[in-house]
Amino acid sequence: MSDSETSQENRGQLAYAALREAIMENALKPGTKLPEGDLGAHFGVSRTLIRAALARLASEGLVDVGKTKSATVAQPSREEAEEAFAVRRALEREVARLVAARWSPALEKTLRAHIEQERSASEAGQHKLSVRLGAEFHILLAEMTGNALLRRYVFEILGRTTLIIAVHGQAHPQADSLAEHLELIEALKKGDRALAEGIVDRHIIAVEDRALSRAEEEPAALADILTRFAPAPAPASR
Ligand SMILES: [Zn+2]
């Protein structure tokens, strides 16, 4: 392969990663058109490579590729959202079981360091970063199983559920997720597979509830909408 082909491939990879990130952060809203020509010009790659990036995103459930129309950012339905979370729970229970079986102080150190990053992002009010780090915690755990295929499936399902949370969910404090992640580490440390599985199961159900609970409610109240842009002042301490 020539150097220029290699750099084209790299830029194709970059286009895929940039689009994935933008979709997961809801910067590109569901339904947004993704014309191959515009994307090719922006990333400086051929339409063929853009098509490949879009096909990959489509296989991950992040993009809808029509036969004649241009691709669009996927709009997961409520039903698809529930299916994705059910698969995520099944995969992550297995992850917890496997990681509990091969637990070591090195793994604990890595996970705790990651949680510290989550905590500081959350405390600094960096919501997008803390959400991303929260998702990466799960990918890190999947890596620790040593099963590359399981890691790949978890990576993919995390993309889907993160899009769903961005579409259907509300910004909420990451404090609950953080506490649940710490609880899981304690169970893994004990080598208690059943307990670890149970904690993961409850955690993903809680994440799903936080994401979907408001999906079919009345439109949000003005104050709730405004809170997303500027939090209300904390109540005076008693
Ligand atoms: Zn989590």
Side-chain angles (χ1 to χ4, degrees), residues 6-228:
T6 310
S7 95
Q8 275 279 306
E9 290 280 341
N10 286 344
R11 268 184 284 171
Q13 175 66 29
L14 196 83
Y16 157 78
L19 287 168
R20 186 175 197 273
E21 187 100 2
I23 292 168
M24 280 171 51
E25 283 197 1
N26 207 24
L28 286 173
K29 306 285 180 203
T32 303
K33 284 186 181 154
L34 302 167
E36 289 169 8
D38 294 359
L39 295 177
H42 179 82
F43 291 106
V45 295
S46 66
R47 287 174 80 120
T48 310
L49 285 174
I50 290 296
R51 216 168 291 143
L54 291 173
R56 190 169 162 197
L57 291 164
S59 79
E60 294 176 1
L62 299 179
V63 158
D64 289 331
V65 186
K67 280 204 173 69
T68 50
K69 292 176 292 178
S70 71
T72 54
V73 177
Q75 313 192 56
S77 65
R78 174 92 188 191
E79 194 186 354
E80 287 166 335
E82 284 168 3
E83 286 174 359
F85 275 103
V87 172
R88 183 172 161 191
R89 270 167 56 207
L91 291 175
E92 293 215 50
R93 278 198 304 266
E94 181 64 6
V95 167
R97 219 175 55 78
L98 292 171
V99 175
R102 59 203 322 257
W103 188 244
S104 74
L107 298 188
E108 179 175 359
K109 203 176 152 199
T110 305
L111 288 174
R112 288 203 189 271
H114 188 88
I115 287 183
E116 274 319 302
Q117 281 184 281
E118 280 183 61
R119 188 197 306 283
S120 36
S122 169
E123 285 173 0
Q126 295 173 291
H127 185 72
K128 279 179 184 164
L129 179 62
S130 74
V131 168
R132 198 176 82 206
L133 289 168
E136 282 171 8
F137 174 83
H138 293 267
I139 294 168
L140 199 56
L141 271 175
E143 257 164 25
M144 290 173 174
T145 65
N147 182 328
L149 195 56
L150 185 54
R151 188 225 178 261
R152 191 176 117 196
Y153 287 142
V154 169
F155 176 81
E156 185 187 319
I157 204 76
L158 251 299
R160 285 176 197 256
T161 55
T162 304
L163 169 63
I164 289 159
I165 293 166
V167 173
H168 294 288
Q170 301 266 330
H172 63 81
Q174 286 296 98
D176 293 344
S177 275
L178 265 174
E180 287 154 14
H181 290 176
L182 281 168
E183 201 189 341
L184 174 62
I185 291 183
E186 291 303 326
L188 291 169
K189 200 174 167 182
K190 283 186 205 154
D192 191 333
R193 297 186 200 186
L195 181 63
E197 267 189 78
I199 289 171
V200 162
D201 204 48
R202 274 190 286 117
H203 174 52
I204 313 271
I205 288 172
V207 170
E208 180 178 2
D209 283 348
R210 292 195 282 263
L212 300 184
S213 57
R214 286 170 174 270
E216 280 167 356
E217 287 178 6
E218 294 291 301
L222 179 63
D224 289 344
I225 294 170
L226 292 178
T227 300
R228 280 188 260 155

